[in-house]
Amino acid sequence: LGRARGARATIVFDGSEVPPGTVRRRRGGPVDVHYSTPDETADDHLVAVLEGFPPDPVVVVSDDRELRARVAPLGATVAGTRQLLALLR
């Protein structure tokens, strides 16, 4: 989607179960990859990242109702995974 539409993407993975010393890739360019730390959830990390973004339009893709409820008041447009898959097809 980033290449096809020129959209920047930030992907947040739960990194709490990653063994110490494991190399975690962080790509630059249109895709940034983040990992939560052992003392935070991926959802908490995503909310913190979103709070640091400029007031540009942001779309958060998740089917998690709790996360959707947390990011909507921050101004994010919320989409489900089926919507994302439809864009990718």
Side-chain angles (χ1 to χ4, degrees), residues 35-50:
Y35 297 89
S36 63
T37 61
D39 62 334
E40 69 180 344
T41 66
D43 290 358
D44 290 343
H45 187 82
L46 186 142
V47 169
V49 168
L50 184 59

Side-chain angles (χ1 to χ4, degrees), residues 1-11 25 27-33 84 87-88:
L1 188 60
R3 283 186 222 148
R5 303 257 169 100
R8 292 196 39 84
T10 300
I11 301 171
R25 295 180 183 219
R27 292 188 58 188
V31 179
D32 289 322
V33 179
L84 176 63
L87 284 174
L88 295 173

Side-chain angles (χ1 to χ4, degrees), residues 50 66-78:
L50 184 59
E66 183 181 322
L67 179 60
R68 293 166 69 108
R70 290 178 65 188
V71 299
L74 297 174
T77 299
V78 180

